[in-house]
Amino acid sequence: MKIALIGAGNVAHHLAVELEGAGHDIITVYSRKLPNAEALSDRLSIAVATNELNFAESEAELFLLTTSDDALEKIIPQIVWPEEALVVHTAGAKSLTVLQNLLRVHSDVPLRTGVFYPLQSINKKIPLNWKEVPICIEGADEEIEHQLIEIARTISDEVYLVNSEERLQLHLAAVLANNFPNHLWALTKDLLAEHNLDFELMKPILKETLRKALDADHPAEVQTGPARRGDQTTMARHLQLLEDQPELARIYQTISESIMRWYL
Amino acid sequence: MKIALIGAGNVAHHLAVELEGAGHDIITVYSRKLPNAEALSDRLSIAVATNELNFAESEAELFLLTTSDDALEKIIPQIVWPEEALVVHTAGAKSLTVLQNLLRVHSDVPLRTGVFYPLQSINKKIPLNWKEVPICIEGADEEIEHQLIEIARTISDEVYLVNSEERLQLHLAAVLANNFPNHLWALTKDLLAEHNLDFELMKPILKETLRKALDADHPAEVQTGPARRGDQTTMARHLQLLEDQPELARIYQTISESIMRWYL
């Protein structure tokens, strides 16, 4: 399948290399800044870099919109599409309808639409095992869905049909389970550093806890800590340590209360 | 070294088996409930189970108090010690002074005191690689510290001298970085289940995020998500999904605000 990438960021980098490795032809890479498009096309065999958005004569059958959510709304009005092109975005928190409405307003030709959302935190500098990345597919009709599933299966063993509402739930879940713990680790590293203690010390317990949480039938089974036990003395002592850090104290209280409501 | 264990819970189980494997003699296991003490002594070669607290004639040189923080204050007044025994607790949030004060009030003989705190979430059913578990040592004097470090080194490669204040900071850090993320995973699993979505889908991203956070110089370097980008539209959409879940919405807002303050 001939594919054009709109956007040359983290997701585009990984997807392009992986799709090409699976036998697809990435023929065009667009970025507003040409050097960014070139940086990616240089890693591909036949792709041409461009910073122009007139694709009327393009031979691409699939257009992958990999830009950020906000950029999507700015870029779509500028694109000229070939007729019947399959236009797909990769965003977790954007519905298929949003894409369709934008295209309805801003395109003169009939288009086919879908979503190709990899449920993974993707950084172009860090290698990724795509076989394990869940890819969430949605299409305007069954034929499109079938086509996108086939493409997704060439790079991942975990392909799912997920509608826009479900995808937004998954996106929220990723924020709660993924972005928030990462921030708690960042806060903890700084807290320890203030007392000349090394975050290194926490690594074994963090690895072990994730392993246990994922191995258990439910992460709740392996919950430990003072809030889990309702140990008010220890919680009060911790909050004392956070006296000068109202923000961290608020997080401590909010989550501890939630734990106590769950278990006690 | 001849060791007696006071308490037969998760920490005692793991420590006893590991210390015996390293050549120490666990001669006594105490639990208030004799069958609990027996369950552990059955896994050891010469240990005798008991539910009595008169150790005046005991040959143990080291007494490891592995009970919960609260139990410590109830059990110490009942114990009769042999003279000069080394009495050590394994708790993160209890200072050495608390132990010393309890013993001063409740013991007639001179005792030696210390702390032997494994920085790990320990469950007797789940195997543990002790070599990687940081063990935090504190002693009433240098000789005791030296002795406890030697014992700790027989089971772990990560042995540190940590005073009571630092230990409490580490304990708080473990709550923030370890207990709280686990609770976020539990909340997420239930949220997904309400929409018939499988927590399985989240496993690749969770593993990947921890790996990235621990490999980076600072977890902040790999922070992603709508709060990191200041993407108010997506955050508003997420909060809409949490309309009927005020508790989860409060967590969402509290941590998102903290992320925005950090990055924006």
Side-chain angles (χ1 to χ4, degrees):
Chain A
M1 165 148 303
K2 293 196 176 105
I3 300 171
L5 285 167
I6 318 281
N10 291 321
V11 174
H13 261 80
H14 273 283
L15 263 183
V17 172
E18 201 68 17
L19 286 167
E20 189 169 273
H24 303 283
D25 295 323
I26 314 293
I27 60 170
T28 314
V29 176
Y30 163 88
S31 173
R32 197 164 53 84
K33 295 176 182 158
L34 193 59
N36 290 355
E38 284 167 345
L40 177 48
S41 67
D42 285 350
R43 297 187 54 203
L44 303 167
S45 56
I46 58 167
V48 175
T50 181
N51 59 356
E52 304 209 359
L53 286 168
N54 187 343
F55 294 105
E57 305 299 319
S58 172
E59 285 182 14
E61 299 150 277
L62 171 63
F63 290 81
L64 279 175
L65 290 156
T66 64
T67 55
S68 74
D69 291 22
D70 293 346
L72 214 58
E73 270 147 44
K74 286 179 206 138
I75 206 168
I76 285 181
Q78 307 169 47
I79 303 178
V80 184
W81 304 96
E83 206 152 314
E84 297 297 337
L86 177 49
V87 181
V88 163
H89 78 64
T90 58
K94 276 271 184 270
S95 70
L96 179 56
T97 315
V98 164
L99 176 65
Q100 290 171 329
N101 290 344
L102 279 165
L103 291 171
R104 193 169 298 131
V105 175
H106 298 288
S107 173
D108 298 331
V109 300
L111 296 166
R112 304 161 69 230
T113 52
V115 179
F116 191 100
Y117 169 55
L119 180 47
Q120 184 53 276
S121 155
I122 295 173
N123 185 313
K124 65 181 153 198
K125 289 181 211 145
I126 298 169
L128 192 60
N129 178 8
W130 273 91
K131 285 283 163 230
E132 291 177 3
V133 175
I135 298 180
C136 305
I137 297 297
E138 184 176 10
D141 60 42
E142 271 184 35
E143 196 199 315
I144 295 170
E145 281 178 347
H146 186 74
Q147 204 177 354
L148 290 174
I149 287 171
E150 274 193 9
I151 298 168
R153 283 202 181 132
T154 63
I155 59 172
S156 169
D157 295 333
E158 308 290 333
V159 180
Y160 302 90
L161 264 185
V162 172
N163 66 35
S164 291
E165 199 185 319
E166 292 168 333
R167 192 170 57 257
L168 185 58
Q169 288 288 351
L170 285 172
H171 190 258
L172 167 60
V175 169
L176 293 170
N178 184 59
N179 295 153
F180 287 1
N182 192 77
H183 184 55
L184 289 167
W185 300 327
L187 291 169
T188 302
K189 185 178 165 100
D190 275 15
L191 182 71
L192 288 174
E194 279 173 35
H195 300 274
N196 294 314
L197 291 161
D198 196 341
F199 188 63
E200 269 316 297
L201 278 163
M202 307 301 297
K203 291 189 176 178
I205 195 172
L206 298 189
K207 288 183 195 168
E208 179 69 5
T209 294
L210 180 64
R211 192 179 69 79
K212 282 192 288 203
L214 298 190
D215 283 354
D217 287 333
H218 198 299
E221 283 174 22
V222 298
Q223 185 70 44
T224 58
R228 166 74 183 86
R229 296 188 300 272
D231 178 349
Q232 299 285 352
T233 317
T234 300
M235 286 189 277
R237 214 170 285 145
H238 286 165
L239 282 168
Q240 230 166 23
L241 294 185
L242 298 175
E243 230 168 26
D244 300 329
Q245 314 220 29
E247 182 184 311
L248 206 42
R250 194 157 48 243
I251 292 175
Y252 189 96
Q253 260 170 326
T254 307
I255 302 189
S256 292
E257 278 164 22
S258 172
I259 294 174
M260 286 188 280
R261 256 191 297 272
W262 183 302
Y263 296 93
L264 304 178
Chain B
M1 162 146 309
K2 292 196 175 104
I3 300 171
L5 285 167
I6 317 283
N10 291 320
V11 173
H13 260 81
H14 273 284
L15 263 184
V17 172
E18 201 68 16
L19 286 168
E20 190 170 272
H24 302 283
D25 295 322
I26 315 293
I27 59 171
T28 314
V29 176
Y30 163 87
S31 174
R32 195 165 53 84
K33 295 176 182 159
L34 194 59
N36 290 355
E38 284 167 345
L40 176 49
S41 67
D42 285 350
R43 298 187 53 202
L44 302 167
S45 56
I46 57 167
V48 175
T50 179
N51 60 356
E52 305 208 359
L53 287 167
N54 187 343
F55 293 105
E57 305 300 320
S58 172
E59 283 182 13
E61 299 149 278
L62 171 63
F63 290 80
L64 278 175
L65 289 156
T66 65
T67 56
S68 73
D69 291 23
D70 293 347
L72 214 59
E73 270 147 43
K74 286 179 204 137
I75 206 170
I76 285 182
Q78 306 169 47
I79 302 177
V80 184
W81 306 96
E83 205 151 316
E84 296 297 338
L86 176 50
V87 180
V88 163
H89 77 65
T90 59
K94 277 271 184 267
S95 69
L96 180 55
T97 316
V98 163
L99 176 65
Q100 290 172 329
N101 290 344
L102 279 166
L103 290 172
R104 194 169 297 130
V105 174
H106 297 289
S107 172
D108 298 330
V109 299
L111 296 166
R112 304 161 69 230
T113 53
V115 179
F116 191 101
Y117 168 55
L119 180 47
Q120 183 54 275
S121 156
I122 294 172
N123 185 312
K124 64 182 154 197
K125 290 181 210 144
I126 299 169
L128 192 60
N129 178 7
W130 273 91
K131 285 283 165 231
E132 291 177 3
V133 174
I135 298 181
C136 304
I137 297 297
E138 184 176 10
D141 60 44
E142 270 184 35
E143 196 200 316
I144 294 170
E145 282 179 345
H146 186 74
Q147 203 177 355
L148 289 174
I149 286 172
E150 274 194 8
I151 297 169
R153 284 202 180 133
T154 63
I155 59 171
S156 169
D157 294 333
E158 307 292 332
V159 180
Y160 301 90
L161 263 186
V162 172
N163 66 36
S164 292
E165 200 185 317
E166 291 167 334
R167 192 170 57 255
L168 185 59
Q169 289 287 353
L170 286 171
H171 190 259
L172 166 61
V175 169
L176 293 170
N178 184 59
N179 296 151
F180 287 1
N182 191 78
H183 184 55
L184 289 167
W185 300 328
L187 290 168
T188 302
K189 185 178 165 100
D190 275 14
L191 182 71
L192 288 174
E194 278 173 35
H195 300 274
N196 295 313
L197 291 162
D198 196 341
F199 188 65
E200 267 320 293
L201 278 164
M202 307 302 297
K203 291 188 176 179
I205 196 173
L206 298 188
K207 287 182 194 168
E208 180 68 6
T209 295
L210 180 64
R211 192 180 69 79
K212 281 193 291 203
L214 299 191
D215 283 354
D217 286 333
H218 198 299
E221 283 175 21
V222 299
Q223 185 70 43
T224 59
R228 165 74 183 84
R229 296 188 300 273
D231 177 349
Q232 299 285 351
T233 318
T234 300
M235 285 189 278
R237 213 169 289 145
H238 285 165
L239 282 168
Q240 232 167 20
L241 294 185
L242 297 175
E243 230 168 26
D244 301 329
Q245 313 219 31
E247 182 183 313
L248 207 41
R250 192 155 52 242
I251 291 175
Y252 188 96
Q253 262 170 323
T254 307
I255 302 189
S256 291
E257 279 164 21
S258 172
I259 293 173
M260 286 188 282
R261 257 192 296 272
W262 183 303
Y263 296 92
L264 304 178

